[in-house]
Amino acid sequence: MARLGWPGGAVRRLLAVGAVAAVAAAGAPLPGSATAEPVVTAPAALVDPFIGTANQADDFPGADLPFGMVQWSPDTPSRPDGGGYAYGDSAVTGFSLTHLSGPGCPAAGDVPVLPTVGPVDAGATVGFSHTGESAAPGAYTVALANGVTTELTATRRSGMARFTFPATTAANLLFKLSGSADGDSGTRFTVVSPTEVSGQVTSGGFCHADNSYTVYFDMVFDHPFSAGGGLPGAARTDPRQSAAQDGYLTFDTTRGQAVQAKVGVSYVSAANAAANRAAENPGWDLDAVRRAARQAWDAELGRIRISGGTPAQRTVFYTALYHSLLHPNVISDGDGRYPGFDGAVHTVDPGHQAAYANYSGWDVYRSQAQLEALVDPRAAGDTAQSMVDDYRQTGRFPKWSENNGETHVMVGDPADSLLADYQAFGARRFDRAEALADMVAEASAGNDNRPGLDYLERLGYLPSDGRYGCCNFYGAASTTLEYDTADFAVSAMAGALGDTAHQAAFADRARDWRNLFNPGSGFVQPRDADGGWTSGFTPTSGRNFVEGDSWQYTAMVPFDLHGLAAAMGGDAALASFLDTDLSSFTGAGGRTDLRNEPSLDIPWEYDYVGEPYRTQRAVRAVQDQIWTDGPSGLAGNDDLGEMSSWYVWSALGMYPETPGTDDLALGSPLFRRAEISLPSGGTLTVTGGGAADDAPYVRSASWNGEPWNQARAPAEAVRGGGALDFELGTSADPGWAADPSAAPPSYPGGARGSAGALSRRVR
């Protein structure tokens, strides 16, 4: 894998840890030591948070904890969506307390704070150079051009900073409260005492939706400021936004240049923000907080321990895992209170640690939710319970929510897949019976999350010329497929809980994709309400599709790929389709675009037609072409960790192709060894004998010492664990796992209206 060089890269990644010490901490051999490759023991040392800060991935490099409420990170003038930081910029506009990883629209960026020197200028920006910048999990540092060094770290609900100013009587902190990424409809800045300020901002409007939220903060300092107060807010361009107030503080640093600050955050009240800060960080030891953050990340990332690979590959892997575990986010305070989707304040359910928010549903149901459940079943279970609570409050699940507000961005009903994914991969500490009942209800009557549901019942598809009304409906052909996947997830959840009636009924309705498959063209096509094919169709047109075209969506039947192959005319026909579709990985000619979600399943589908060696080849090519260890090493919006999670699964040699199940299609492992701690308490060990970048092909495999000639992981792999061992080579073995019986399962359902049997697996 090619390494992109950039100034100060080693400094940024290792954060002042000597290179030899960092390699030893990571578990690799020291120079002159034995050549054995122990597994990584300090994975946080391998993470480079600057990966994904260019090339429109829109990740952020600042300080945070796994699924934390606070992401204290720099914003730069071009302010990419959600992440706020562009590696190509050379100035900082502020260090804001909240961020999202590549959501696709401006979001978060609340309460930017900027250190300046001299006269107070509310519109100030400050230059910086990457040579004076470093980042690691839970820590960020930059030497600004105005002589101020800024160090940031975080706890779950608070942040801590050390601003080291020049010796001056005009050391300022600007609070650009009106500077949230989507603007602010109101702000408040209050001087509580000579060492404390508090305030709030109200923002929202994600992707032009009408959602809103209010975030509160309380910040204290280790010595008093000499002046402070309000400033006029930024100019307003959005008629929804009223006058707002910014703030500033001035310190005298002639006798002590370092000003330390601690800030608590809450979505309930400023008093709760102060309580969060006091509970999680009672002292003034920034180095200790930074160490604790690193330890928290080592524990989280250490649920998957690898050995082998190149240094660049290990960095890409652990950075992808890191990015996969940033969202969703804790929204409840230390006392358990949180703002509900109904606008009222609620308390976390007994037996749960926190309530969660920020669901990029259309994105993360594909592979991030499964990884979250596998790595952190406690957080995933709390996330699932939070979704059930959201349904209690509003009568619908979150779809694409920002904090405690629904935006209805994107299509489908992804909550069904998310909940079934969590259940399938071991996160079961939530009210699953209530979840299933709510899933069935939401899928059975028209509602804001499923506009057009009546068409499914009458026609078996969503017509291009239908009338849908509410809630951002578009892309009728794509949305039909998304509803089918959601229905299959309801069926899978019902089957897991022993509800055979709903298992059969929703498996049957999931077959509706067949109503849009045109045998004459070999593609999924949009149809009109009268049953005719919508005119003007070409497979490269995005009309009636969502962020894609029919080349990318025809293959999106992840629960019944055997059925898709049969509809096309057999396995050879689907293989030929895949050959053409995978002639590009970046959307050239309308083909597969692995920079966006609709294409993520496609490389794995050779497994289903007796040609797994082609999956092995395609996945490795994608890894090499799209993923690198530089700032541009992630292509396309990270979408709250979804794109990063794809890489993690692929590097482990497997992928959760079928939402709602724990089925794993196999590729080949990138590393010589991976040990995965499972929710059950067991361990899944995956080894790759002969693993190398140019050796993606499986020559043989075994499961617990017995030959394994299947293109799917054993059913017990992510349940109780075991040893899945591969022997890899540089040349393909077309015979390995090529028999039709070796393919991963497909779930055909039954005829509409019958009692079809989801439990009967084929292929």
Side-chain angles (χ1 to χ4, degrees):
M1 186 175 292
R3 178 180 177 84
L4 295 185
W6 20 271
V11 175
R12 280 191 295 275
R13 183 164 62 255
L14 301 179
L15 189 65
V17 178
V20 171
V23 171
L30 293 170
S33 69
T35 58
E37 294 179 300
V39 296
V40 168
T41 57
L46 299 177
V47 172
D48 183 353
F50 290 100
I51 293 175
T53 59
N55 204 19
Q56 300 183 325
D58 299 348
D59 283 322
F60 57 88
D64 50 19
L65 258 63
F67 312 112
M69 184 183 288
V70 171
Q71 306 84 33
W72 207 349
S73 187
D75 300 316
T76 62
S78 58
R79 206 168 194 183
D81 294 343
Y85 174 99
Y87 192 80
D89 286 347
S90 57
V92 172
T93 60
F95 299 94
S96 55
L97 296 176
T98 63
H99 292 83
L100 296 177
S101 297
C105 286
D110 302 308
V111 194
V113 180
L114 182 69
T116 67
V117 178
V120 173
D121 176 4
T125 64
V126 182
F128 77 101
S129 168
H130 295 306
T131 58
E133 186 184 36
S134 64
Y140 175 84
T141 298
V142 63
L144 299 172
N146 62 4
V148 181
T149 296
T150 298
E151 301 169 77
L152 305 175
T153 188
T155 71
R156 200 176 203 189
R157 300 176 181 89
S158 77
M160 188 172 185
R162 181 159 57 213
F163 304 102
T164 303
F165 289 90
T168 177
T169 59
N172 311 307
L173 291 178
L174 304 181
F175 289 75
K176 299 183 176 183
L177 302 187
S178 57
S180 295
D182 269 313
D184 299 274
S185 60
T187 72
R188 181 178 299 165
F189 182 77
T190 301
V191 175
V192 178
S193 76
T195 58
E196 182 178 4
V197 296
S198 67
Q200 66 188 68
V201 302
T202 298
S203 188
F206 179 72
C207 286
H208 307 292
D210 61 1
N211 69 297
S212 68
Y213 62 88
T214 298
V215 59
Y216 302 86
F217 70 93
D218 187 273
M219 186 178 291
V220 295
F221 304 91
D222 64 351
H223 65 268
F225 41 86
S226 56
L231 292 168
R236 291 288 176 262
T237 59
D238 188 330
R240 299 174 302 172
Q241 297 173 345
S242 60
Q245 181 189 39
D246 292 337
Y248 81 97
L249 301 174
T250 298
F251 295 83
D252 182 345
T253 59
T254 55
R255 294 188 177 182
Q257 294 174 254
V259 175
Q260 291 197 119
K262 300 186 297 183
V263 59
V265 170
S266 169
Y267 290 86
V268 172
S269 68
N272 271 29
N276 287 340
R277 183 205 71 237
E280 294 186 1
N281 187 12
W284 285 102
D285 190 339
L286 183 141
D287 293 333
V289 175
R290 190 159 50 195
R291 284 193 302 271
R294 173 67 72 95
Q295 291 165 0
W297 276 112
D298 272 335
E300 191 82 351
L301 300 171
R303 300 280 296 179
I304 302 179
R305 303 165 296 282
I306 62 170
S307 68
T310 67
Q313 288 169 338
R314 292 193 292 271
T315 287
V316 172
F317 178 83
Y318 277 114
T319 303
L321 182 57
Y322 165 82
H323 282 144
S324 301
L325 303 175
L326 295 174
H327 310 290
N329 301 103
V330 170
I331 197 172
S332 58
D333 293 328
D335 66 0
R337 292 193 293 166
Y338 68 95
F341 277 67
D342 57 359
V345 174
H346 297 267
T347 302
V348 173
D349 294 317
H352 292 269
Q353 293 182 345
Y356 285 75
N358 296 327
Y359 304 98
S360 180
W362 182 84
D363 304 295
V364 300
Y365 83 77
R366 302 166 199 266
S367 59
Q368 187 274 341
Q370 297 89 323
L371 187 61
E372 179 189 351
L374 192 71
V375 171
D376 195 333
R378 164 67 84 169
D382 283 355
T383 299
Q385 187 62 42
S386 299
M387 297 173 68
V388 172
D389 291 339
D390 297 342
Y391 190 96
R392 289 175 186 168
Q393 295 158 17
T394 65
R396 63 180 185 267
F397 286 116
K399 186 172 185 174
W400 210 123
S401 66
E402 183 182 27
N403 295 315
N404 63 317
E406 182 53 63
T407 71
H408 292 106
V409 170
M410 305 311 296
V411 300
D413 193 2
D416 296 327
S417 294
L418 286 174
L419 290 164
D421 290 342
Y422 288 142
Q423 133 74 33
F425 279 82
R428 295 173 183 168
R429 292 174 60 107
F430 66 101
D431 193 330
R432 295 182 291 160
E434 183 177 353
L436 176 60
D438 296 343
M439 292 160 70
V440 169
E442 185 163 289
S444 299
N447 57 78
D448 292 351
N449 277 358
R450 285 218 190 197
L453 195 58
D454 57 323
Y455 286 120
L456 282 189
E457 291 302 321
R458 291 192 289 112
L459 303 176
Y461 60 91
L462 302 176
S464 302
D465 55 354
R467 296 187 178 185
Y468 298 96
C470 174
C471 305
N472 195 43
F473 181 92
Y474 68 112
S478 294
T479 304
T480 299
L481 298 180
E482 294 286 358
Y483 284 180
D484 293 343
T485 294
D487 282 345
F488 175 77
V490 177
S491 173
M493 185 75 158
L497 299 187
D499 182 347
T500 56
H502 285 121
Q503 179 187 22
F506 283 97
D508 291 348
R509 198 170 75 178
R511 291 165 51 90
D512 281 347
W513 65 270
R514 298 168 184 262
N515 297 324
L516 293 185
F517 183 80
N518 184 348
S521 68
F523 287 92
V524 165
Q525 292 186 211
R527 296 183 86 159
D528 295 333
D530 64 5
W533 299 109
T534 302
S535 63
F537 169 79
T538 66
T540 58
S541 170
R543 184 167 168 251
N544 291 303
F545 292 92
V546 176
E547 296 188 8
D549 59 24
S550 193
W551 274 110
Q552 295 160 18
Y553 272 97
T554 292
M556 206 184 84
V557 190
F559 52 88
D560 191 13
L561 288 163
H562 179 59
L564 178 63
M568 286 184 168
D571 288 355
L574 178 53
S576 178
F577 176 93
L578 295 173
D579 289 346
T580 303
D581 208 6
L582 287 162
S583 62
S584 170
F585 298 148
T586 56
R591 307 303 198 266
T592 296
D593 189 351
L594 284 155
R595 302 169 302 177
N596 203 17
E597 280 74 16
S599 295
L600 294 182
D601 291 349
I602 295 174
W604 305 90
E605 296 184 2
Y606 287 116
D607 278 359
Y608 295 77
V609 295
E611 299 184 3
Y613 74 96
R614 294 195 179 191
T615 282
Q616 298 152 21
R617 180 171 62 199
V619 170
R620 184 59 48 84
V622 173
Q623 292 168 340
D624 287 349
Q625 291 183 31
I626 292 180
W627 298 86
T628 70
D629 66 335
S632 61
L634 193 165
N637 300 154
D638 203 2
D639 290 318
L640 279 66
E642 169 55 30
M643 303 305 289
S644 288
S645 71
W646 186 95
Y647 182 87
V648 173
W649 283 111
S650 74
L652 295 173
M654 56 192 70
Y655 186 73
E657 180 80 7
T658 307
T661 75
D662 60 3
D663 298 340
L664 291 168
L666 290 182
S668 59
L670 183 62
F671 299 103
R672 292 185 180 274
R673 186 178 183 88
E675 299 172 358
I676 306 166
S677 296
L678 301 175
S680 65
T683 299
L684 172 62
T685 301
V686 181
T687 64
D693 192 55
D694 64 348
Y697 296 110
V698 177
R699 308 295 298 178
S700 65
S702 65
W703 171 246
N704 291 335
E706 297 295 326
W708 185 257
N709 197 36
Q710 309 285 322
R712 59 178 181 265
E716 191 64 17
V718 295
R719 299 174 190 173
L724 183 59
D725 301 312
F726 295 88
E727 288 299 323
L728 306 174
T730 58
S731 60
D733 180 358
W736 185 81
D739 189 83
S741 64
S746 289
Y747 302 83
R752 283 294 292 267
S754 76
L758 178 67
S759 58
R760 177 172 59 85
R761 298 186 174 194
V762 300
R763 288 297 301 270

